[in-house]
Amino acid sequence: MEATASGSGVALSSPPPNPLLLRLRDRLGSCAKSVESGDSYQTERLVSELAKFLGDVSVAAEDENTHEDAFELLSHVYEYISSSSIDQELLDALSFELPKAVSKFSGVSRRFLTIAESIIHQFLVKCNPRDMLPILCEALDSSSEGEKIKLSGYFGPLLSGLSEVLLMIKRHHFEQTKEVVPAILRVWEKVSTDADEEDSDLEDLFRRGINIANSMQTVHQKLDSGSAEKLLTLLGLYVLQMMTHVSICVDENVSSSLRLVTELSHFLRCCRLSYIGLITGSAIDMMTSTITVEEDSFWDPLPSIKLGAALSVIWGDMSDKVAHNAEEDLTAVKNEIRCSQTRRWQAIGMLRHVFCSATLPWRLKKHAIDFLLCITEGDISPECESETLDFSSFVSSHFAALQGIENVIMYTSDSVLRKKAFDVLKRVLADIPISQRFDVLKALITNCNSASMVAILLDIVRQVRHAKTSSKVSNGNVDEVFHETPVWSADVLELVELVLRPSKGGPPSLPEQSDAVLSALNLYRFVLLSESTGKTNYTGVLSETNLKKAYNEWLLPLRTLVTGILAENRNDDDPFSSDSVSALNPVELVLYRCIELVEERLKHDL
């Protein structure tokens, strides 16, 4: 017996033994009758109920007992939608909910994905493409929160549909495309944060994203100069965002991520994005100036865009094939940055996004450290230093970059990377104008919660001063040392005081701050001996006022604290007590030496 969906003119096959098909047929028939009656409210309700029914079946499709029935049901939906006799008004009503509903099946298996894509294709062909575009975008944004679906599978057919519909639109290409881009960018954000790390379909999903970039590039060729320029900006934004999320999501499969990044790099030249422009940030400035005030919502995720810009160059440095696809010469890029103080500062500011990312793989941070080592190698040529440069606009970006490098030092398990990051830290600090270096160091120490890191920063100050002092003193130029390094002033005592007498008052917390305290005492002892030996007082450390302040406010309270803790723990067999004694023994040794030096100096001045 043959049945027909009332009012639709669509012939349905004989009632199958599959109960899901029978229920589907009834629901489709109800939708058709409602459309025929002209009751739009009822039609909307029935279509929503149909979508919910399909959603429930998609969940059950994971079960092997209902898998085949679910596939037969989805195939039946395709046959129904594909029928040449289906009523257009019914098709339009179904188009609001079914693309989202059938996409939920896509994560079950490849053949479910294929059917879902075919259903969406039928909607695109038979309905108005301009109407389908917002429907697909809305489906991307409502990724069925709370339902157990595979995100990469769900988004797949919708992204394929968008790459297709962009090419089908006949007018207002830029205006339509700019509505699509933010929705797609939110997809990458969801996949980066919610997707299963073992999801083997991520590469396929990102490849569909690349197909959208191809569609945008094709559309660009149809536009006049004004709209074409804006579309290139959107394409560039899109590609840089994809670069970020591919780097984060596909890390486990290096070959997959490299293939995707290589393809993405092809678009950089199309968008007139050079490696120099990306690594210095000037290309991002160019793109933001192209987007008008009304369209500036595209720039909400600006840090992610800048991360993508920096990663584009890092990937090119990692792979010759990536650089070749971007038509770039990394050697020339590095040389240009190396010989320009401004470009180097800009590059350091952009690389901060790599170092500060909590989700980026360590191997990319390692290559970013290598890149920074390369561009900070050697001295700036005299001609590059001829102009007066203002560092003030770079202070915040450098501070963030230095904090990111500190995180690499503290948290990496790779000893080689840790050593390289330490070298980079010293180079970036040395690259800061000496008139502002102290403020940066002070901010780093003040905002650092790691005693070991504070110790490293103070030790860098001591090592730099020791190296410069030794070099100049050997030539009898003690005055030149201090004249060339203004940070060697009362500021250095302020760094010591930050640790030995914290802003909260009283001595530092021990044994937790033992590393920082030991480094501060060593720095103080070094300054005291250096000034005494050189018969200078550039830091003011030898003035009676400062000697008494150090003695009464720093050293004696610290001695009371250290001796008290040691007395309590030396005869205790508890492991914590043993660790406390081990941490404080070197502190006690240097502390008593500092007290002796101050007492000798005070007696000498009497």
Side-chain angles (χ1 to χ4, degrees), residues 152 191 195-196 199-207 249-250 260:
S152 60
V191 170
D196 186 346
D199 192 344
S200 59
D201 295 326
L202 278 176
E203 181 180 1
D204 177 70
L205 184 67
F206 280 116
R207 201 162 296 284
C249 292
V250 201
L260 293 168

Side-chain angles (χ1 to χ4, degrees), residues 75-135:
S75 300
H76 192 80
V77 172
Y78 171 72
E79 293 172 5
Y80 188 87
I81 297 300
S82 302
S83 172
S84 59
S85 57
I86 188 171
D87 182 79
Q88 184 62 46
E89 191 175 351
L90 173 60
L91 192 64
D92 290 339
L94 294 175
S95 70
F96 283 98
E97 295 288 346
L98 259 58
K100 178 168 59 177
V102 301
S103 293
K104 297 175 184 178
F105 288 86
S106 303
V108 178
S109 71
R110 176 64 61 174
R111 62 177 187 155
F112 276 91
L113 172 62
T114 301
I115 292 290
E117 285 182 317
S118 299
I119 293 173
I120 290 176
H121 171 74
Q122 287 300 314
F123 280 118
L124 297 180
V125 171
K126 295 187 173 186
C127 300
N128 189 327
R130 293 181 62 183
D131 292 335
M132 288 304 302
L133 188 142
I135 289 173

Side-chain angles (χ1 to χ4, degrees), residues 397-418:
S397 61
H398 265 57
F399 177 71
L402 286 164
Q403 285 190 312
I405 296 168
E406 287 178 353
N407 287 337
V408 174
I409 294 172
M410 290 189 289
Y411 298 120
T412 182
S413 59
D414 184 341
S415 59
V416 175
L417 175 57
R418 188 180 302 111

